[in-house]
Amino acid sequence: MGSDQREIRTERLVLREWREADRDPWAALVADPDVMRWFPSTLDRVAADTAFERISVGVRDRGWGLFALEYDRRFIGFTGLAVPGFDAPFMPAVEIGWRLSRDAWGHGFATEAATAVLDLAFGELGMPELVSFTTVGNVRSRAVMARLGMRHDPVDDFEHPSLPVGHPLRPHVLYRVSPTDRPLKSA
């Protein structure tokens, strides 16, 4: 996108394209066992760099994706949109997701940033629906989904196909949201 880089500002946050300066804090974030508790494993530096490249290219080339999230000029994680890379009954779909550094938890940043992403998805991008999913026990992310107005129907819950049968993180819940599910913005 060159000099026409997308940047979304909220009251406290900036959602933007990734920068080379984000690489080290990103690697630290995905190496943190608390942050990665609901994922199969932490990422070593090689895997973190591979994910960094994939995520940053997606945002740069499409103009949307998993945006780098900044608070007080400091990288604190990501929030944005992704196309899941596995087959499931709810596919095709676009997912809204987030991952924040531990010191950014509990401040409402995920909800604030995801609300801005919903505005982009349902406004400019004209998407008809977004999904979000996580393991059953991830109550913090599920609470964000509920605050965003996302609906959970247990009929949509699924076994994540990328994890082996019997893996404790394999059972997933699915939440959905469409433009009509969201409360009207106040003028």
Side-chain angles (χ1 to χ4, degrees), residues 66-88:
L66 298 172
F67 295 100
L69 186 58
E70 187 178 289
Y71 171 70
D72 198 25
R73 293 197 215 144
R74 185 175 59 84
F75 174 87
I76 60 168
F78 70 67
T79 305
L81 303 169
V83 177
F86 58 86
D87 190 32

Side-chain angles (χ1 to χ4, degrees), residues 150-169:
M150 301 188 85
R151 305 174 320 286
H152 173 239
D153 183 342
V155 169
D156 290 331
D157 294 350
F158 66 102
E159 299 285 311
H160 199 295
S162 300
L163 296 170
V165 173
H167 192 287
L169 300 179

Side-chain angles (χ1 to χ4, degrees), residues 10-52:
T10 69
E11 184 178 329
R12 302 177 293 168
L13 306 169
V14 177
L15 291 82
R16 58 166 173 74
E17 287 187 23
W18 293 65
R19 300 177 184 146
E20 191 59 32
D22 301 329
R23 192 178 291 270
D24 288 342
W26 163 253
L29 185 147
V30 295
D32 183 325
D34 290 333
V35 170
M36 300 299 286
R37 176 179 178 195
W38 303 110
F39 294 88
S41 66
T42 57
L43 300 184
D44 64 20
R45 186 57 190 242
V46 172
D49 284 345
T50 300
F52 178 93

Side-chain angles (χ1 to χ4, degrees), residues 100-177:
L100 277 62
S101 59
R102 199 171 356 137
D103 63 341
W105 295 356
H107 301 284
F109 295 149
T111 302
E112 183 176 330
T115 298
V117 170
L118 287 174
D119 291 343
L120 171 69
F122 294 144
E124 178 185 332
L125 300 178
M127 294 181 175
E129 180 182 70
L130 296 175
V131 300
S132 193
F133 49 84
T134 189
T135 61
V136 173
N138 188 349
V139 295
R140 292 178 72 100
S141 275
R142 292 180 72 173
V144 172
M145 294 171 199
R147 283 192 295 274
L148 294 173
M150 301 188 85
R151 305 174 320 286
H152 173 239
D153 183 342
V155 169
D156 290 331
D157 294 350
F158 66 102
E159 299 285 311
H160 199 295
S162 300
L163 296 170
V165 173
H167 192 287
L169 300 179
R170 186 172 163 102
H172 271 58
V173 292
L174 180 79
Y175 285 68
R176 298 175 185 268
V177 66

Side-chain angles (χ1 to χ4, degrees), residues 48-63:
D49 284 345
T50 300
F52 178 93
E53 294 299 331
R54 184 185 75 251
I55 293 168
S56 61
V57 166
V59 172
R60 186 181 64 236
D61 291 353
R62 261 194 321 257

